[in-house]
Amino acid sequence: EFRNNLPSHSTRAPEDEWIRWRDGNFEPILNQWYEFIVFWMDQYEPKDRLITAYEELVNPEYGAQAASNIAAFIAQNQNVHPIAAESIPCVWRSIVKYREDPRFAQAAVQAQATEQATDQPQAEAQPDQQSGLQPEFQSEPQMEPQPEFQSEPQPEF
């Protein structure tokens, strides 16, 4: 983008260039991610942090509860005033389910195709790196592998 005088985030690189970049940078970036997590986990006490996986936040059944958990956590700060708790599921749904809107359907298809382009060695390396965090922060309930979320599904609005 910079080299071609394009506005930021205006276009995607050709897939072969993306794959070449990804394959050449995956391991160093995964290691940076690991160091990033360790750094921030060391900066705050467990009571002063909330860990929420992206997959939990966008889960159709439990995402609204994850959003509610985030709102409750940030509301502990006297200067933060989240929206009313009863509005969170509706706001969450309008943000997460925007992909069901026909205007965004093509972008959603493209995003899914990009996600499927991950090579197997990289997909296998992610859990290995994540499991390396567990012994260090095993007192964190959010760091434990959770095959199913504990929350109740939220009603449709």
Side-chain angles (χ1 to χ4, degrees):
E1 293 171 348
F2 179 77
R3 204 174 346 156
N4 296 315
N5 296 318
L6 296 171
S8 292
H9 307 299
S10 64
T11 187
R12 291 180 179 257
E15 188 172 345
D16 60 330
E17 288 185 37
W18 155 244
I19 291 171
R20 188 172 36 256
W21 181 91
R22 180 198 65 195
D23 291 349
N25 292 285
F26 181 78
E27 191 171 329
I29 289 176
L30 185 59
N31 289 333
Q32 286 177 347
W33 171 83
Y34 178 86
E35 294 300 322
F36 173 84
I37 297 297
V38 170
F39 173 83
W40 286 108
M41 294 292 282
D42 288 343
Q43 300 303 308
Y44 295 95
E45 295 295 322
K47 68 177 181 58
D48 295 327
R49 59 183 179 230
L50 175 70
I51 300 169
T52 302
Y54 169 81
E55 293 79 8
E56 183 179 354
L57 188 59
V58 299
N59 181 289
E61 291 185 59
Y62 308 108
Q65 181 60 49
S68 294
N69 293 346
I70 293 169
F73 179 78
I74 65 173
Q76 295 175 46
N77 183 312
Q78 65 184 11
N79 297 317
V80 177
H81 309 287
I83 62 172
E86 61 271 8
S87 298
I88 293 172
C90 294
V91 172
W92 170 86
R93 198 159 275 102
S94 69
I95 293 168
V96 172
K97 294 208 175 221
Y98 79 92
R99 289 182 179 186
E100 294 175 2
D101 186 315
R103 296 173 295 171
F104 300 105
Q106 183 60 34
V109 168
Q110 289 173 342
Q112 186 175 22
T114 300
E115 290 171 9
Q116 292 172 349
T118 301
D119 283 350
Q120 192 64 26
Q122 293 163 341
E124 291 171 359
Q126 292 170 345
D128 290 343
Q129 191 71 291
Q130 290 171 347
S131 66
L133 291 171
Q134 288 175 344
E136 194 164 346
F137 302 105
Q138 62 187 358
S139 65
E140 297 289 328
Q142 298 93 337
M143 291 300 294
E144 296 171 7
Q146 298 180 10
E148 296 182 34
F149 297 107
Q150 304 297 318
S151 307
E152 292 295 320
Q154 297 295 306
E156 290 291 326
F157 286 88

